[in-house]
Each structure stands twice: as C-alpha cells, then as structure tokens.
Amino acid sequence: MKVVPSGRDGAKMVIYADIVFLTNLLIDTVTLSVTAWTQKIKIRPVRLFAASSLGAAYVIMMFFPVLSSMYTLGIKFLFSAAMVMIAFGFHSLQFVFRNLVSFYIVNFVAGGGIFAIYYMYQSQHEVVNGILVSLFGTKQLHFKTTLILVIILLIILMAAYRYLVRTTGKRQAIQQFIVEMEVRLEEHTLTCQGLIDTGNRLYDPLTSSPVVIVEFSLLKDILPPTMKEGVQGDMKDLLPYLEDESVPFRDRLRFVPYRGVQKGTQFMLALKPDQVLIHHGEQKFQKEKVLLGIRGDALSSEGKFQAIIHPDLLEGDVSQSA
C-alpha cells in the first residue's frame, strides 16, 4: 500500500504505509521493551506485540483524512496509555502512571536522539499529516517559544525522573525479599512469588505452626470460588463449607485467630498443605509444619507477590537448589 501526498512545492512524495507500519512496530517494540527493562517488568511477547501493533496502527491513521481528528494531544495520550496497559497490565493507577512516565521518558530520549541526527545531517524538512519527512529551515523556528517549551519540558522530565528513580529504588529494595514459593497439596503443585516479612509472627495456637498468608487466587482451582466472598467478608459464611463433605480438602481447613488493628481478635481461614518449599537464591527450604492463611484481596497492588512468607520458614535445614 502506498500513499502519495504533495509537498509544499507541489512535488509528489511516495510513502509506503506497510513500511511505515513495520518501522513503527519495530520502534514501539523497542521502546516498550526498554520501558519494561527500566521498570524490571517481565513482559509477555503477546502483550508486547499487541501494544506495539496498536501504536503502529495509530500512525497509519494519519494517512486517512477522515481520521485526522484522531491526531490530537488528548487522543495521543489515550493511545499511549492504552499501549502501556496492554503491555504491562493494570494493577493500580500508580502502577500505570509509573509505567506511562517511564514510557514517555524513553520515547523523549529516543525521539530527541533521532531529531538531533536529522538536524545535523539535513537542511530542510517537510511535515505531511503530522509526520516528519525532512528538516526545517531556521527562518521558521520560533526560538523564544521553543526555548520556553524546552525549559518547561525539562522541568517536567526532571520531576518525573526523580519520582521514577525514587519509586524504582523502593521496589528494588522490596524485590530483594521476594522469593519463589512452591506449595504441594496431594496431587496439586502451586507456585507463586512470596514476600519475606519479618513482621509476620502469626502462628496457629493449637499446633504452633507458622502461618503463610496467601491470596485466594492461588487456591482458586482447588477451592470453591464462592468461598472467596466468605474470606473477604464474615467468617460465619464459611461455616457451611466446613460442614459440607463435598468441599475439597474440608478436613484440612481450620480457623486461625489473629488480632486485628481495630477490631480486636478475628479469625482467618487456613489450609494445611502437605509441604511448602521456599527457593531463596541457591538455597531451598522445605517445611511440612505450616499453614496457609487465606486472604480474599490482593496482597500486592502491583501483583509483585501473592504470599507473605513467615520468616521461620527460612530457618533450619537448607538444601542447594538443582
């Protein structure tokens, strides 16, 4: 597919839309990959391709006059936000905002470098439907206005970069305490990321077993989905499940008392697994005396971990991971 727009002097310029699409697909793939790298996010290839395709398709819209209204600042922002959410998911507004800021910074750096190269090696430029195809003459450069805009952008970028570095540093500190946890329950093997929390001192008073807090989502395939409402709400709603013999692992379920911040003594539904393995670097900790306390809501707003690991599980016998 080719498009033939006219330049200012009436000359015809041939632009191949498929080449423009593939070029922008590659550029968006690179910028999203760099954004994922700066944020230490593992991005799935399918999500990366879908987000990059959306960005490349948006560029192709510029060739169709009927879609010219789509080329506005607000629409550009919505498309970039959609690309970020498709690529990295939506865990919280803060998560999306941080990734969006990082994505813009990467694009500004990449775009600034490309613009500088054009500026050094070209003498003129032409803009066709908002697409830069050559360089501008100095007579058309409004120096004062451009300088003010550059200063404003630099201030915004510096503030955004400072925020990015600060939040990234906090997440890197937390990342050091995130380990892989493997739960074995009869024929089931469940794996997730867990946060080692030295402040978690919850024990079952009857068996003195340490309690690992896990999200219900980790157990959704082996427990009835309707139990989630009881875990999130009143524990009285869970009593019928403990009396129903058809409920899987009914004999492994129990209530563990704990002291809430404002409501005094409360109870948490817990499940007794056969074994829990913690992979911490090159070390592997294997425990049988442990309970899984079930939480209905997410433990991490960004989805970084699905369990809060009791520190006692990293004590005692240690074996080297294969």
PDB file of all heavy atoms in Angstrom, residues 3-39:
ATOM      1  N   VAL A   3       0.920   5.705  -0.324  1.00  0.00           N
ATOM      2  CA  VAL A   3       0.188   6.960  -0.247  1.00  0.00           C
ATOM      3  C   VAL A   3       1.037   8.018  -0.902  1.00  0.00           C
ATOM      4  O   VAL A   3       2.256   8.067  -0.700  1.00  0.00           O
ATOM      5  CB  VAL A   3      -0.119   7.348   1.216  1.00  0.00           C
ATOM      6  CG1 VAL A   3      -0.927   8.621   1.270  1.00  0.00           C
ATOM      7  CG2 VAL A   3      -0.872   6.216   1.906  1.00  0.00           C
ATOM      8  N   VAL A   4       0.421   8.913  -1.712  1.00  0.00           N
ATOM      9  CA  VAL A   4       1.178   9.921  -2.447  1.00  0.00           C
ATOM     10  C   VAL A   4       0.715  11.309  -2.045  1.00  0.00           C
ATOM     11  O   VAL A   4      -0.140  11.909  -2.696  1.00  0.00           O
ATOM     12  CB  VAL A   4       1.019   9.734  -3.975  1.00  0.00           C
ATOM     13  CG1 VAL A   4       1.950  10.659  -4.732  1.00  0.00           C
ATOM     14  CG2 VAL A   4       1.264   8.292  -4.361  1.00  0.00           C
ATOM     15  N   PRO A   5       1.223  11.850  -0.930  1.00  0.00           N
ATOM     16  CA  PRO A   5       0.891  13.225  -0.527  1.00  0.00           C
ATOM     17  C   PRO A   5       1.724  14.221  -1.314  1.00  0.00           C
ATOM     18  O   PRO A   5       2.745  13.882  -1.906  1.00  0.00           O
ATOM     19  CB  PRO A   5       1.253  13.243   0.954  1.00  0.00           C
ATOM     20  CG  PRO A   5       2.339  12.244   1.073  1.00  0.00           C
ATOM     21  CD  PRO A   5       2.094  11.180   0.033  1.00  0.00           C
ATOM     22  N   SER A   6       1.312  15.470  -1.314  1.00  0.00           N
ATOM     23  CA  SER A   6       2.038  16.522  -2.015  1.00  0.00           C
ATOM     24  C   SER A   6       2.843  17.347  -1.045  1.00  0.00           C
ATOM     25  O   SER A   6       2.390  17.646   0.059  1.00  0.00           O
ATOM     26  CB  SER A   6       1.051  17.439  -2.753  1.00  0.00           C
ATOM     27  OG  SER A   6       0.333  16.704  -3.733  1.00  0.00           O
ATOM     28  N   GLY A   7       4.068  17.748  -1.454  1.00  0.00           N
ATOM     29  CA  GLY A   7       4.897  18.629  -0.661  1.00  0.00           C
ATOM     30  C   GLY A   7       4.475  20.066  -0.876  1.00  0.00           C
ATOM     31  O   GLY A   7       3.548  20.368  -1.631  1.00  0.00           O
ATOM     32  N   ARG A   8       5.185  20.995  -0.243  1.00  0.00           N
ATOM     33  CA  ARG A   8       4.833  22.413  -0.344  1.00  0.00           C
ATOM     34  C   ARG A   8       5.057  22.940  -1.752  1.00  0.00           C
ATOM     35  O   ARG A   8       4.399  23.875  -2.181  1.00  0.00           O
ATOM     36  CB  ARG A   8       5.665  23.211   0.655  1.00  0.00           C
ATOM     37  CG  ARG A   8       5.316  22.915   2.100  1.00  0.00           C
ATOM     38  CD  ARG A   8       6.248  23.632   3.029  1.00  0.00           C
ATOM     39  NE  ARG A   8       5.977  23.289   4.417  1.00  0.00           N
ATOM     40  CZ  ARG A   8       6.727  23.639   5.425  1.00  0.00           C
ATOM     41  NH1 ARG A   8       7.837  24.341   5.208  1.00  0.00           N
ATOM     42  NH2 ARG A   8       6.421  23.287   6.654  1.00  0.00           N
ATOM     43  N   ASP A   9       6.002  22.338  -2.479  1.00  0.00           N
ATOM     44  CA  ASP A   9       6.280  22.818  -3.829  1.00  0.00           C
ATOM     45  C   ASP A   9       5.472  22.073  -4.881  1.00  0.00           C
ATOM     46  O   ASP A   9       5.711  22.220  -6.070  1.00  0.00           O
ATOM     47  CB  ASP A   9       7.781  22.677  -4.122  1.00  0.00           C
ATOM     48  CG  ASP A   9       8.256  21.241  -3.937  1.00  0.00           C
ATOM     49  OD1 ASP A   9       7.435  20.375  -3.546  1.00  0.00           O
ATOM     50  OD2 ASP A   9       9.450  21.001  -4.205  1.00  0.00           O
ATOM     51  N   GLY A  10       4.521  21.252  -4.445  1.00  0.00           N
ATOM     52  CA  GLY A  10       3.680  20.529  -5.380  1.00  0.00           C
ATOM     53  C   GLY A  10       4.252  19.198  -5.808  1.00  0.00           C
ATOM     54  O   GLY A  10       3.595  18.456  -6.530  1.00  0.00           O
ATOM     55  N   ALA A  11       5.454  18.887  -5.400  1.00  0.00           N
ATOM     56  CA  ALA A  11       6.076  17.626  -5.780  1.00  0.00           C
ATOM     57  C   ALA A  11       5.389  16.474  -5.066  1.00  0.00           C
ATOM     58  O   ALA A  11       4.859  16.624  -3.983  1.00  0.00           O
ATOM     59  CB  ALA A  11       7.567  17.646  -5.438  1.00  0.00           C
ATOM     60  N   LYS A  12       5.407  15.335  -5.733  1.00  0.00           N
ATOM     61  CA  LYS A  12       4.785  14.149  -5.170  1.00  0.00           C
ATOM     62  C   LYS A  12       5.805  13.345  -4.371  1.00  0.00           C
ATOM     63  O   LYS A  12       6.942  13.174  -4.790  1.00  0.00           O
ATOM     64  CB  LYS A  12       4.192  13.273  -6.285  1.00  0.00           C
ATOM     65  CG  LYS A  12       3.133  13.973  -7.131  1.00  0.00           C
ATOM     66  CD  LYS A  12       1.892  14.306  -6.309  1.00  0.00           C
ATOM     67  CE  LYS A  12       0.802  14.930  -7.196  1.00  0.00           C
ATOM     68  NZ  LYS A  12      -0.405  15.244  -6.428  1.00  0.00           N
ATOM     69  N   MET A  13       5.365  12.860  -3.209  1.00  0.00           N
ATOM     70  CA  MET A  13       6.211  12.004  -2.378  1.00  0.00           C
ATOM     71  C   MET A  13       5.472  10.702  -2.132  1.00  0.00           C
ATOM     72  O   MET A  13       4.319  10.715  -1.698  1.00  0.00           O
ATOM     73  CB  MET A  13       6.528  12.685  -1.041  1.00  0.00           C
ATOM     74  CG  MET A  13       7.362  13.933  -1.140  1.00  0.00           C
ATOM     75  SD  MET A  13       7.643  14.671   0.487  1.00  0.00           S
ATOM     76  CE  MET A  13       5.964  15.117   0.936  1.00  0.00           C
ATOM     77  N   VAL A  14       6.113   9.599  -2.423  1.00  0.00           N
ATOM     78  CA  VAL A  14       5.507   8.287  -2.258  1.00  0.00           C
ATOM     79  C   VAL A  14       5.851   7.746  -0.876  1.00  0.00           C
ATOM     80  O   VAL A  14       7.035   7.660  -0.519  1.00  0.00           O
ATOM     81  CB  VAL A  14       5.980   7.299  -3.333  1.00  0.00           C
ATOM     82  CG1 VAL A  14       5.362   5.920  -3.101  1.00  0.00           C
ATOM     83  CG2 VAL A  14       5.628   7.818  -4.714  1.00  0.00           C
ATOM     84  N   ILE A  15       4.847   7.398  -0.087  1.00  0.00           N
ATOM     85  CA  ILE A  15       5.040   6.835   1.247  1.00  0.00           C
ATOM     86  C   ILE A  15       4.336   5.482   1.297  1.00  0.00           C
ATOM     87  O   ILE A  15       3.134   5.394   1.048  1.00  0.00           O
ATOM     88  CB  ILE A  15       4.469   7.759   2.341  1.00  0.00           C
ATOM     89  CG1 ILE A  15       5.158   9.122   2.299  1.00  0.00           C
ATOM     90  CG2 ILE A  15       4.626   7.136   3.722  1.00  0.00           C
ATOM     91  CD1 ILE A  15       4.585  10.116   3.288  1.00  0.00           C
ATOM     92  N   TYR A  16       5.081   4.432   1.574  1.00  0.00           N
ATOM     93  CA  TYR A  16       4.529   3.088   1.647  1.00  0.00           C
ATOM     94  C   TYR A  16       4.036   2.833   3.065  1.00  0.00           C
ATOM     95  O   TYR A  16       4.818   2.780   4.002  1.00  0.00           O
ATOM     96  CB  TYR A  16       5.575   2.060   1.240  1.00  0.00           C
ATOM     97  CG  TYR A  16       5.894   2.102  -0.248  1.00  0.00           C
ATOM     98  CD1 TYR A  16       6.911   2.936  -0.719  1.00  0.00           C
ATOM     99  CD2 TYR A  16       5.172   1.344  -1.149  1.00  0.00           C
ATOM    100  CE1 TYR A  16       7.205   2.999  -2.069  1.00  0.00           C
ATOM    101  CE2 TYR A  16       5.454   1.395  -2.507  1.00  0.00           C
ATOM    102  CZ  TYR A  16       6.462   2.223  -2.968  1.00  0.00           C
ATOM    103  OH  TYR A  16       6.745   2.287  -4.302  1.00  0.00           O
ATOM    104  N   ALA A  17       2.698   2.665   3.187  1.00  0.00           N
ATOM    105  CA  ALA A  17       2.086   2.525   4.508  1.00  0.00           C
ATOM    106  C   ALA A  17       2.551   1.258   5.217  1.00  0.00           C
ATOM    107  O   ALA A  17       2.713   1.253   6.446  1.00  0.00           O
ATOM    108  CB  ALA A  17       0.564   2.520   4.385  1.00  0.00           C
ATOM    109  N   ASP A  18       2.772   0.179   4.462  1.00  0.00           N
ATOM    110  CA  ASP A  18       3.193  -1.064   5.115  1.00  0.00           C
ATOM    111  C   ASP A  18       4.586  -0.928   5.712  1.00  0.00           C
ATOM    112  O   ASP A  18       4.866  -1.457   6.797  1.00  0.00           O
ATOM    113  CB  ASP A  18       3.144  -2.236   4.122  1.00  0.00           C
ATOM    114  CG  ASP A  18       3.880  -1.941   2.830  1.00  0.00           C
ATOM    115  OD1 ASP A  18       4.246  -0.752   2.612  1.00  0.00           O
ATOM    116  OD2 ASP A  18       4.102  -2.870   2.048  1.00  0.00           O
ATOM    117  N   ILE A  19       5.466  -0.186   5.005  1.00  0.00           N
ATOM    118  CA  ILE A  19       6.808   0.033   5.541  1.00  0.00           C
ATOM    119  C   ILE A  19       6.750   0.924   6.779  1.00  0.00           C
ATOM    120  O   ILE A  19       7.443   0.690   7.776  1.00  0.00           O
ATOM    121  CB  ILE A  19       7.723   0.650   4.462  1.00  0.00           C
ATOM    122  CG1 ILE A  19       7.913  -0.338   3.314  1.00  0.00           C
ATOM    123  CG2 ILE A  19       9.074   1.037   5.056  1.00  0.00           C
ATOM    124  CD1 ILE A  19       8.769   0.188   2.185  1.00  0.00           C
ATOM    125  N   VAL A  20       5.894   1.963   6.724  1.00  0.00           N
ATOM    126  CA  VAL A  20       5.718   2.844   7.883  1.00  0.00           C
ATOM    127  C   VAL A  20       5.188   2.050   9.075  1.00  0.00           C
ATOM    128  O   VAL A  20       5.643   2.223  10.211  1.00  0.00           O
ATOM    129  CB  VAL A  20       4.758   4.003   7.542  1.00  0.00           C
ATOM    130  CG1 VAL A  20       4.435   4.820   8.782  1.00  0.00           C
ATOM    131  CG2 VAL A  20       5.364   4.898   6.476  1.00  0.00           C
ATOM    132  N   PHE A  21       4.228   1.144   8.805  1.00  0.00           N
ATOM    133  CA  PHE A  21       3.658   0.333   9.885  1.00  0.00           C
ATOM    134  C   PHE A  21       4.720  -0.560  10.520  1.00  0.00           C
ATOM    135  O   PHE A  21       4.855  -0.608  11.742  1.00  0.00           O
ATOM    136  CB  PHE A  21       2.512  -0.523   9.343  1.00  0.00           C
ATOM    137  CG  PHE A  21       1.900  -1.431  10.370  1.00  0.00           C
ATOM    138  CD1 PHE A  21       0.879  -0.975  11.204  1.00  0.00           C
ATOM    139  CD2 PHE A  21       2.335  -2.745  10.529  1.00  0.00           C
ATOM    140  CE1 PHE A  21       0.316  -1.805  12.160  1.00  0.00           C
ATOM    141  CE2 PHE A  21       1.782  -3.580  11.474  1.00  0.00           C
ATOM    142  CZ  PHE A  21       0.771  -3.114  12.290  1.00  0.00           C
ATOM    143  N   LEU A  22       5.488  -1.264   9.673  1.00  0.00           N
ATOM    144  CA  LEU A  22       6.503  -2.176  10.198  1.00  0.00           C
ATOM    145  C   LEU A  22       7.603  -1.416  10.932  1.00  0.00           C
ATOM    146  O   LEU A  22       8.117  -1.878  11.957  1.00  0.00           O
ATOM    147  CB  LEU A  22       7.096  -3.004   9.054  1.00  0.00           C
ATOM    148  CG  LEU A  22       6.145  -4.027   8.413  1.00  0.00           C
ATOM    149  CD1 LEU A  22       6.810  -4.698   7.233  1.00  0.00           C
ATOM    150  CD2 LEU A  22       5.710  -5.066   9.440  1.00  0.00           C
ATOM    151  N   THR A  23       7.975  -0.245  10.402  1.00  0.00           N
ATOM    152  CA  THR A  23       9.003   0.561  11.064  1.00  0.00           C
ATOM    153  C   THR A  23       8.550   1.001  12.443  1.00  0.00           C
ATOM    154  O   THR A  23       9.286   0.891  13.434  1.00  0.00           O
ATOM    155  CB  THR A  23       9.348   1.789  10.210  1.00  0.00           C
ATOM    156  OG1 THR A  23       9.811   1.357   8.929  1.00  0.00           O
ATOM    157  CG2 THR A  23      10.431   2.630  10.875  1.00  0.00           C
ATOM    158  N   ASN A  24       7.318   1.514  12.528  1.00  0.00           N
ATOM    159  CA  ASN A  24       6.796   1.950  13.826  1.00  0.00           C
ATOM    160  C   ASN A  24       6.525   0.776  14.756  1.00  0.00           C
ATOM    161  O   ASN A  24       6.641   0.914  15.983  1.00  0.00           O
ATOM    162  CB  ASN A  24       5.516   2.767  13.628  1.00  0.00           C
ATOM    163  CG  ASN A  24       5.806   4.183  13.175  1.00  0.00           C
ATOM    164  OD1 ASN A  24       6.009   5.076  13.995  1.00  0.00           O
ATOM    165  ND2 ASN A  24       5.838   4.392  11.867  1.00  0.00           N
ATOM    166  N   LEU A  25       6.183  -0.388  14.190  1.00  0.00           N
ATOM    167  CA  LEU A  25       6.013  -1.585  15.011  1.00  0.00           C
ATOM    168  C   LEU A  25       7.333  -1.941  15.680  1.00  0.00           C
ATOM    169  O   LEU A  25       7.365  -2.264  16.878  1.00  0.00           O
ATOM    170  CB  LEU A  25       5.536  -2.746  14.145  1.00  0.00           C
ATOM    171  CG  LEU A  25       5.320  -4.089  14.865  1.00  0.00           C
ATOM    172  CD1 LEU A  25       4.156  -3.983  15.833  1.00  0.00           C
ATOM    173  CD2 LEU A  25       5.067  -5.204  13.852  1.00  0.00           C
ATOM    174  N   LEU A  26       8.420  -1.837  14.919  1.00  0.00           N
ATOM    175  CA  LEU A  26       9.743  -2.132  15.479  1.00  0.00           C
ATOM    176  C   LEU A  26      10.125  -1.099  16.540  1.00  0.00           C
ATOM    177  O   LEU A  26      10.619  -1.453  17.617  1.00  0.00           O
ATOM    178  CB  LEU A  26      10.784  -2.146  14.360  1.00  0.00           C
ATOM    179  CG  LEU A  26      12.240  -2.350  14.794  1.00  0.00           C
ATOM    180  CD1 LEU A  26      12.407  -3.693  15.489  1.00  0.00           C
ATOM    181  CD2 LEU A  26      13.175  -2.258  13.588  1.00  0.00           C
ATOM    182  N   ILE A  27       9.887   0.187  16.245  1.00  0.00           N
ATOM    183  CA  ILE A  27      10.229   1.257  17.186  1.00  0.00           C
ATOM    184  C   ILE A  27       9.444   1.100  18.492  1.00  0.00           C
ATOM    185  O   ILE A  27      10.001   1.195  19.592  1.00  0.00           O
ATOM    186  CB  ILE A  27       9.961   2.640  16.560  1.00  0.00           C
ATOM    187  CG1 ILE A  27      10.932   2.882  15.402  1.00  0.00           C
ATOM    188  CG2 ILE A  27      10.100   3.744  17.609  1.00  0.00           C
ATOM    189  CD1 ILE A  27      10.651   4.149  14.623  1.00  0.00           C
ATOM    190  N   ASP A  28       8.132   0.848  18.381  1.00  0.00           N
ATOM    191  CA  ASP A  28       7.304   0.683  19.579  1.00  0.00           C
ATOM    192  C   ASP A  28       7.720  -0.551  20.368  1.00  0.00           C
ATOM    193  O   ASP A  28       7.683  -0.540  21.607  1.00  0.00           O
ATOM    194  CB  ASP A  28       5.825   0.584  19.189  1.00  0.00           C
ATOM    195  CG  ASP A  28       5.267   1.907  18.682  1.00  0.00           C
ATOM    196  OD1 ASP A  28       5.826   2.953  19.056  1.00  0.00           O
ATOM    197  OD2 ASP A  28       4.285   1.893  17.916  1.00  0.00           O
ATOM    198  N   THR A  29       8.087  -1.610  19.666  1.00  0.00           N
ATOM    199  CA  THR A  29       8.542  -2.821  20.351  1.00  0.00           C
ATOM    200  C   THR A  29       9.799  -2.532  21.155  1.00  0.00           C
ATOM    201  O   THR A  29       9.930  -2.962  22.317  1.00  0.00           O
ATOM    202  CB  THR A  29       8.824  -3.940  19.336  1.00  0.00           C
ATOM    203  OG1 THR A  29       7.618  -4.252  18.620  1.00  0.00           O
ATOM    204  CG2 THR A  29       9.320  -5.201  20.041  1.00  0.00           C
ATOM    205  N   VAL A  30      10.731  -1.777  20.557  1.00  0.00           N
ATOM    206  CA  VAL A  30      11.978  -1.447  21.239  1.00  0.00           C
ATOM    207  C   VAL A  30      11.712  -0.550  22.445  1.00  0.00           C
ATOM    208  O   VAL A  30      12.221  -0.794  23.548  1.00  0.00           O
ATOM    209  CB  VAL A  30      12.966  -0.777  20.270  1.00  0.00           C
ATOM    210  CG1 VAL A  30      14.183  -0.248  21.028  1.00  0.00           C
ATOM    211  CG2 VAL A  30      13.412  -1.766  19.208  1.00  0.00           C
ATOM    212  N   THR A  31      10.905   0.502  22.268  1.00  0.00           N
ATOM    213  CA  THR A  31      10.658   1.441  23.366  1.00  0.00           C
ATOM    214  C   THR A  31       9.897   0.771  24.522  1.00  0.00           C
ATOM    215  O   THR A  31      10.187   1.025  25.691  1.00  0.00           O
ATOM    216  CB  THR A  31       9.867   2.667  22.873  1.00  0.00           C
ATOM    217  OG1 THR A  31       8.677   2.230  22.190  1.00  0.00           O
ATOM    218  CG2 THR A  31      10.703   3.510  21.920  1.00  0.00           C
ATOM    219  N   LEU A  32       8.950  -0.090  24.194  1.00  0.00           N
ATOM    220  CA  LEU A  32       8.230  -0.804  25.251  1.00  0.00           C
ATOM    221  C   LEU A  32       9.147  -1.798  25.961  1.00  0.00           C
ATOM    222  O   LEU A  32       9.046  -1.974  27.177  1.00  0.00           O
ATOM    223  CB  LEU A  32       7.017  -1.531  24.666  1.00  0.00           C
ATOM    224  CG  LEU A  32       5.810  -0.649  24.296  1.00  0.00           C
ATOM    225  CD1 LEU A  32       4.785  -1.443  23.498  1.00  0.00           C
ATOM    226  CD2 LEU A  32       5.153  -0.074  25.551  1.00  0.00           C
ATOM    227  N   SER A  33      10.035  -2.418  25.204  1.00  0.00           N
ATOM    228  CA  SER A  33      10.981  -3.352  25.820  1.00  0.00           C
ATOM    229  C   SER A  33      11.943  -2.626  26.753  1.00  0.00           C
ATOM    230  O   SER A  33      12.254  -3.113  27.843  1.00  0.00           O
ATOM    231  CB  SER A  33      11.764  -4.100  24.732  1.00  0.00           C
ATOM    232  OG  SER A  33      10.908  -4.855  23.909  1.00  0.00           O
ATOM    233  N   VAL A  34      12.408  -1.444  26.327  1.00  0.00           N
ATOM    234  CA  VAL A  34      13.296  -0.652  27.177  1.00  0.00           C
ATOM    235  C   VAL A  34      12.547  -0.178  28.424  1.00  0.00           C
ATOM    236  O   VAL A  34      13.095  -0.183  29.536  1.00  0.00           O
ATOM    237  CB  VAL A  34      13.864   0.555  26.401  1.00  0.00           C
ATOM    238  CG1 VAL A  34      14.653   1.472  27.327  1.00  0.00           C
ATOM    239  CG2 VAL A  34      14.759   0.072  25.268  1.00  0.00           C
ATOM    240  N   THR A  35      11.282   0.211  28.247  1.00  0.00           N
ATOM    241  CA  THR A  35      10.468   0.615  29.395  1.00  0.00           C
ATOM    242  C   THR A  35      10.326  -0.537  30.392  1.00  0.00           C
ATOM    243  O   THR A  35      10.459  -0.340  31.600  1.00  0.00           O
ATOM    244  CB  THR A  35       9.068   1.065  28.927  1.00  0.00           C
ATOM    245  OG1 THR A  35       9.199   2.152  28.001  1.00  0.00           O
ATOM    246  CG2 THR A  35       8.224   1.507  30.105  1.00  0.00           C
ATOM    247  N   ALA A  36      10.068  -1.741  29.873  1.00  0.00           N
ATOM    248  CA  ALA A  36       9.964  -2.918  30.743  1.00  0.00           C
ATOM    249  C   ALA A  36      11.280  -3.181  31.461  1.00  0.00           C
ATOM    250  O   ALA A  36      11.294  -3.546  32.642  1.00  0.00           O
ATOM    251  CB  ALA A  36       9.556  -4.138  29.916  1.00  0.00           C
ATOM    252  N   TRP A  37      12.378  -2.970  30.757  1.00  0.00           N
ATOM    253  CA  TRP A  37      13.700  -3.189  31.357  1.00  0.00           C
ATOM    254  C   TRP A  37      13.962  -2.187  32.485  1.00  0.00           C
ATOM    255  O   TRP A  37      14.455  -2.558  33.544  1.00  0.00           O
ATOM    256  CB  TRP A  37      14.775  -3.085  30.297  1.00  0.00           C
ATOM    257  CG  TRP A  37      16.171  -3.203  30.841  1.00  0.00           C
ATOM    258  CD1 TRP A  37      16.800  -4.341  31.259  1.00  0.00           C
ATOM    259  CD2 TRP A  37      17.102  -2.126  31.046  1.00  0.00           C
ATOM    260  NE1 TRP A  37      18.068  -4.042  31.707  1.00  0.00           N
ATOM    261  CE2 TRP A  37      18.283  -2.699  31.590  1.00  0.00           C
ATOM    262  CE3 TRP A  37      17.069  -0.753  30.815  1.00  0.00           C
ATOM    263  CZ2 TRP A  37      19.396  -1.925  31.908  1.00  0.00           C
ATOM    264  CZ3 TRP A  37      18.172   0.007  31.131  1.00  0.00           C
ATOM    265  CH2 TRP A  37      19.319  -0.580  31.668  1.00  0.00           C
ATOM    266  N   THR A  38      13.624  -0.915  32.257  1.00  0.00           N
ATOM    267  CA  THR A  38      13.864   0.098  33.290  1.00  0.00           C
ATOM    268  C   THR A  38      12.991  -0.135  34.512  1.00  0.00           C
ATOM    269  O   THR A  38      13.385   0.184  35.634  1.00  0.00           O
ATOM    270  CB  THR A  38      13.594   1.512  32.741  1.00  0.00           C
ATOM    271  OG1 THR A  38      12.231   1.600  32.274  1.00  0.00           O
ATOM    272  CG2 THR A  38      14.539   1.848  31.600  1.00  0.00           C
ATOM    273  N   GLN A  39      11.796  -0.685  34.296  1.00  0.00           N
ATOM    274  CA  GLN A  39      10.878  -0.935  35.408  1.00  0.00           C
ATOM    275  C   GLN A  39      11.002  -2.347  35.976  1.00  0.00           C
ATOM    276  O   GLN A  39      10.266  -2.712  36.890  1.00  0.00           O
ATOM    277  CB  GLN A  39       9.438  -0.699  34.945  1.00  0.00           C
ATOM    278  CG  GLN A  39       9.123   0.750  34.623  1.00  0.00           C
ATOM    279  CD  GLN A  39       9.267   1.638  35.844  1.00  0.00           C
ATOM    280  OE1 GLN A  39       8.492   1.550  36.788  1.00  0.00           O
ATOM    281  NE2 GLN A  39      10.266   2.507  35.839  1.00  0.00           N
TER     282      GLN A  39
END
